[in-house]
Amino acid sequence: MPLHIETPQIPSRPLSLLAGRSVWLKLDALQPPGSFKIRGVGLACEVHRRRGARRFVSSSGGNAGLAVAYAGRMLSIPVTVVVPETTSDRAKELLALEAAEVVVHGASWQEANELALSMIGASDAFLHPFDDPLLWQGHATMIDEVCQSGLKPDAIVLSVGGGGLLSGVAEGLHRNGWGQVPIVAVETEGAASLHQSMVAGRLVELQKITSIATSLGAKRVCERAFQWSSEHPIRSVVVSDRAALSACTRFLDDHRLLVEPACGASLALAYDKAAELEGFGTVLVIVCGGATATLGQIKQWSEG
C-alpha cells in the first residue's frame, strides 16, 4: 500500500456560484501529513528504502519535511530534518510529533539545505523538497485518480512554489492522454519565480522572497517546471498575499478546512472570479493543503 491516500474530489457549490462556472476540489489537504507532498515523498522514500537507505535526510521545515518525517515513521526509518531559523515553532512541534530529529541551522532554506547535504552518509538518502523525478512521479497519482473518477476538467488550477506539484500534475496529464488540458499556475507577489522566468524566457532566480506564503518561497523553480511551460499549455497568474489570506478564511467558512496561504493563492482565483478562468466551463482546483498554518497565524497576517 502506498503511504498516501486517495483523496476526495468534490464539487464546490460556494466557489461555483462565485466563479460563475463549475468548480471542483481535489482535497489533498486531507493527506495524513496535511499536504500533497506525501504522494511524491512517500514514493521516493519507499524507493530509497528498497535501495538500502537506513536514514532519510530532508532540508524542509514545511510540508515536504513533514512528509519525510511521516514516511520515515511509517517505514520505521529514522529521519533528520534540517530547518532554517525562520521555521515556526508549530512546524518544529509537528516534526517532533513524527519522531524526527530536528536540526536548526541558517537564516534561509539554502543554508539549511547545504548543511543537510553535508550530512549525507553512505547509507543515507536525501529527500529534496521539489526537484526529483521520483517526486513528480508520485504527485502525478492525483491526476490518475481524477482520470479514473470520470471527471475531465477544462483546466486545472494549482499553486507553484518550487515547481514539484506543477511537474507532477503535468506528468499525470500526459500519461493519461490529457496533454491539452491547461494548467493555471498561481503564485503570490514576492514569490513569483515561475512567472518571472516565463516572462524572461529563461530561469530567473529571485533576489529574496517577500511573500508571507513561505511554502511558495523558492527563489527559483526547478528546471523541469520551467521546461513544462514550453511543452504544456500553462497560464501563469500572480495574486496578492491579501487575496491568498482572504481565500483561506473564506474557504474555512465554506468547506470547514484550514489551508495555508500557499494553497489560498489558487483558491483566490475562484473567489475573486479571476479573468484567467474565462473560457473554462469546469475547473479543478488542487487544494494542496498545508499543515503548519494555524487560524491565529492567518488572522495575524490578515490584520498586518
Side-chain angles (χ1 to χ4, degrees):
M1 293 291 291
L3 295 176
H4 70 269
I5 64 169
E6 182 173 339
T7 54
Q9 177 182 301
I10 65 169
S12 171
R13 179 66 172 165
L15 283 169
S16 296
L17 291 173
L18 285 168
R21 66 204 71 248
S22 178
V23 177
W24 286 71
L25 307 171
K26 184 60 172 165
L27 297 176
D28 256 50
L30 298 179
Q31 292 289 351
S35 84
F36 78 97
K37 291 283 189 179
I38 189 58
R39 290 183 182 269
V41 166
L43 174 63
C45 286
E46 289 180 300
V47 169
H48 289 306
R49 182 184 65 165
R50 289 197 297 268
R51 293 174 179 171
R54 301 181 64 182
R55 181 177 68 149
F56 298 145
V57 179
S58 174
S59 59
S60 166
N63 297 314
L66 287 170
V68 175
Y70 173 81
R73 181 172 63 82
M74 296 300 290
L75 297 172
S76 299
I77 291 181
V79 173
T80 298
V81 183
V82 184
V83 303
E85 296 162 359
T86 53
T87 303
S88 68
D89 289 339
R90 171 67 173 166
K92 287 182 279 191
E93 289 169 4
L94 291 172
L95 287 167
L97 281 175
E98 295 291 355
E101 176 192 14
V102 180
V103 177
V104 180
H105 175 79
S108 68
W109 172 79
Q110 283 76 13
E111 293 176 19
N113 190 56
E114 289 174 5
L115 177 62
L117 290 171
S118 73
M119 298 169 63
I120 303 299
S123 61
D124 297 334
F126 175 70
L127 281 301
H128 196 283
F130 53 83
D131 193 0
D132 182 345
L134 287 173
L135 300 182
W136 313 328
Q137 182 182 341
H139 298 335
T141 58
M142 70 175 68
I143 302 302
D144 297 339
E145 293 170 13
V146 176
C147 185
Q148 291 161 10
S149 76
L151 172 73
K152 185 177 183 181
D154 297 317
I156 293 180
V157 181
L158 54 79
S159 298
V160 177
L165 177 58
L166 185 151
S167 298
V169 166
E171 181 173 321
L173 289 172
H174 282 259
R175 78 185 188 192
N176 282 285
W178 287 2
Q180 296 307 310
V181 175
I183 295 173
V184 182
V186 191
E187 298 169 285
T188 48
E189 296 169 358
S193 54
L194 174 66
H195 182 78
Q196 292 202 22
S197 295
M198 290 177 65
V199 170
R202 57 177 176 82
L203 274 174
V204 171
E205 182 170 325
L206 305 178
Q207 290 188 348
K208 61 180 180 178
I209 301 297
T210 57
S211 171
I212 54 92
T214 54
S215 290
L216 302 183
K219 292 183 180 180
R220 184 174 69 176
V221 294
C222 64
E223 185 175 353
R224 186 64 185 118
F226 179 65
Q227 289 173 346
W228 276 119
S229 69
S230 61
E231 299 174 14
H232 188 89
I234 293 177
R235 297 187 184 185
S236 174
V237 186
V238 180
V239 302
S240 67
D241 279 353
R242 185 169 296 280
L245 288 166
S246 174
C248 289
T249 56
R250 295 172 76 179
F251 190 69
L252 178 61
D253 289 340
D254 289 336
H255 288 284
R256 288 80 57 196
L257 188 58
L258 180 65
V259 297
E260 65 183 16
C263 181
S266 54
L267 292 166
L269 293 199
Y271 277 116
D272 296 339
K273 201 174 182 179
E276 288 82 5
L277 297 183
E278 290 300 321
F280 302 134
T282 301
V283 298
L284 176 69
V285 182
I286 305 297
V287 183
C288 52
T292 62
T294 65
L295 182 58
Q297 187 179 45
I298 287 175
K299 286 183 175 178
Q300 183 179 14
W301 280 331
S302 299
E303 292 167 358

